[in-house]
Amino acid sequence: MTGTFVPPTRFAVPGRIAVSEQAASQWQTATVTEIRRETPRAATFRLAVPGWPGHLPGQHLMVRLTAEDGYAAQRHYSIASAPDDSGHVELTLDHVEGGEVSGWFHTVARPGDRLEVRGPVSGFFAWPGDRPALLVGAGSGVVPLMSMIRHHRARNLTVPLRLLVSARSPEELVYAREFGAETTSVFTRSAPAGTAVGRMAAAHVAPLLAEQPPGGWEAYVCGSNSFAEHASRLLVTAGQPVDRIRIERFG
Amino acid sequence: MNTTRGFTGRPRVADPGLPPGQYDAGDDWPVLSAEVTPELAPADWTFRVDGLVAEPRTWDWEEAHRLPPSAYEGAIHCVTSWSKFGVRFAGVSLDAFLDVVRPHESATHAVAYSHTGYTASLPLADLTGGRAWIAWECDGRPLAPEHGGPARLVVPHLYFWKSAKWIAGLRILDHDEPGFWEKNGYHERGNPWEEQRYSGD
Ligand SMILES: Cc1cc2nc3c(=O)[nH]c(=O)nc-3n(C[C@H](O)[C@H](O)[C@H](O)COP(=O)(O)OP(=O)(O)OC[C@H]3O[C@@H](n4cnc5c(N)ncnc54)[C@H](O)[C@@H]3O)c2cc1C
């Protein structure tokens, strides 16, 4: 049997980069160096990871917390910071009600605390900054997208980049102060005077797809599953090819 | 052991059914797929087995339903660390399909592929002997599209990324050909009991 298998339908976006096996499989000690509050429910945790192999915007890592009796909990978290070579990464976590891991971060963690991370894992949702990217996120789903925006700025990239972000209210919009002209915000519960309140809709997506850059957009959708389902359907209906939509669902 | 100051975790009872590093998601069934959920009607669904087999064959919905029914009831485990207990999948054992196409002696692996183009690679030994299913029902109801309906592969003894949603076929091979997540850094086999999450584990 020769040749690589060719699926019967167009697919599904191949991965963007090869993932280092070693980075993906080795736990490393990370030390909390700084905690910044973003919104009432979300905070950013800056971690020093001396052996960090580097990452691309959009990638995630795995966090492991271990209790005295050896019990360990691990969860995936997107990397919020742009790639840099300082040996630091930043995560932004929502405080999930009753959450085991996010609960520890939000109520116990302080600078100097140590935990373990491994990664980056998965090269699928990564964006090296090479193609026009249309980013669509909600809630903490904006985290990997912010890494892309920060990367775009840090490198002065000129490739087109747009962000459509949904939050319950302006107070709950993570990174609000950092967004610029590339961003359109949608508020589902309360909005500043003069701004409509409601779900992300075709009317939000249409203008972005109307300004197709040459070669078209690569779309990156991130958030809860229900948001990902809704947003990806809006994109498909508006004409974005299915095989150029990457989705990261937080579960 | 690298303990984390102040981390106790949730009160827990040792559960022999829970592989290391997993937690019980209870009634939740998180959805994790990288692509847009396809709109695939049962009438448009087909399942093909080819490659190193004596008789390649494609079944449509009706034909697949004429094979002897078989069900799985038990746990499923996702690499993102949730497990779910007491899930009931109904469909047909993969053995029933393989008995018809008859894999060659030299066959060792399979690539499972979806109607979306998603792929997963599996050792053939993990797909035979009553350990894998093509399932169209979950807990007595048609499988929901976001969980892979109308039909998905179910290989419950491996991490669930192997259980390709919207299954379209298996190609039988004499070597391992990495699928979508295997190419993205995940383990080639994915046994939850050995925590084979990422390649190199
Ligand atoms: C690829 C990926 C990237 C992600 N990136 C981010 C990110 O950047 N930021 C972010 O905030 N999140 C992210 N997530 C989600 C994250 O991994 C966690 O799921 C989230 O932080 C919740 O974990 P937790 O341990 O705090 O909550 P869990 O303990 O897992 O609980 C989740 C919910 O279930 C309930 N629950 C579960 N088990 C029990 C139990 N036994 N008893 C009572 N209640 C229970 C909890 O009350 C809570 O409501 C990402 C997920 C994925 C898959």
Side-chain angles (χ1 to χ4, degrees), chain B residues 85-159:
Chain B
F85 293 97
V87 188
R88 283 184 296 126
F89 283 110
V92 171
S93 168
L94 208 56
D95 292 310
F97 296 94
L98 292 171
D99 285 349
V100 173
V101 300
R102 287 176 287 124
H104 293 168
E105 294 262 304
S106 61
T108 56
H109 287 81
V111 172
Y113 56 92
S114 296
H115 283 276
T116 60
Y118 174 86
T119 54
S121 67
L122 297 118
L124 198 51
D126 281 314
L127 292 173
T128 53
R131 297 205 292 167
W133 289 262
I134 297 299
W136 35 70
E137 265 182 39
C138 183
D139 293 338
R141 281 198 294 272
L143 189 60
E146 60 182 15
H147 290 302
R152 73 180 295 161
L153 179 63
V154 173
V155 191
H157 67 285
L158 299 179
Y159 284 126

Side-chain angles (χ1 to χ4, degrees), chain B residues 13-102:
Chain B
V13 268
D15 184 339
L18 207 54
Q22 297 292 109
Y23 71 96
D24 181 354
D27 292 335
D28 272 5
W29 188 0
V31 174
L32 291 147
S33 37
E35 70 266 60
V36 179
T37 302
E39 285 173 32
L40 183 62
D44 297 324
W45 179 83
T46 53
F47 178 62
R48 175 170 179 81
V49 188
D50 61 14
L52 295 176
V53 298
E55 272 181 68
R57 155 117 210 230
T58 304
W59 288 263
D60 65 17
W61 186 254
E62 302 279 312
E63 291 162 342
H65 279 70
R66 282 199 287 273
L67 292 168
S70 176
Y72 168 76
E73 177 161 1
I76 60 176
H77 312 288
C78 176
V79 70
T80 62
S81 74
W82 54 266
S83 292
K84 188 169 168 59
F85 293 97
V87 188
R88 283 184 296 126
F89 283 110
V92 171
S93 168
L94 208 56
D95 292 310
F97 296 94
L98 292 171
D99 285 349
V100 173
V101 300
R102 287 176 287 124

Side-chain angles (χ1 to χ4, degrees), chain A residues 1-5 7-13 15 17 19 21 24-25 29 60 62 64-71 73-76 98-100 104 108-110 113-116 118 121-124 225 229 232-233 236 242 245-247 249-251, chain B residues 1-12 20-23 30-37 39 51-52 79-82 111-119 146 166 168 171-175 177 180-181 183-186 195 197-201:
Chain A
M1 188 81 4
T2 54
T4 303
F5 162 74
T9 46
R10 290 187 309 159
F11 181 38
V13 233
I17 54 144
V19 175
E21 286 196 12
S25 63
T29 300
H60 61 264
M62 192 103 153
R64 177 165 75 182
L65 305 181
T66 308
E68 291 289 343
D69 65 356
Y71 171 81
Q74 39 185 311
R75 301 287 186 271
H76 287 91
E100 194 170 43
W104 178 85
V108 180
R110 61 180 188 224
D113 279 343
R114 283 185 314 217
L115 50 119
E116 289 172 294
R118 67 164 159 172
V121 296
S122 178
F124 172 71
N225 176 57
E229 283 291 302
S232 61
R233 238 174 267 138
V236 173
V242 247
I245 302 177
R246 293 162 197 271
I247 306 181
R249 301 169 201 248
F250 283 0
Chain B
M1 186 174 30
N2 295 306
T3 56
T4 312
R5 183 191 63 82
F7 177 70
T8 51
R10 207 171 257 135
R12 52 201 171 265
Q22 297 292 109
Y23 71 96
V31 174
L32 291 147
S33 37
E35 70 266 60
V36 179
T37 302
E39 285 173 32
L52 295 176
V79 70
T80 62
S81 74
W82 54 266
V111 172
Y113 56 92
S114 296
H115 283 276
T116 60
Y118 174 86
T119 54
E146 60 182 15
W166 316 294
R171 192 180 212 201
I172 310 296
L173 305 168
D174 59 5
H175 60 276
E177 199 170 280
F180 180 78
W181 284 118
K183 278 191 229 155
N184 274 288
Y186 284 44
E195 282 212 83
R197 298 175 191 276
Y198 298 99
S199 56
D201 278 353

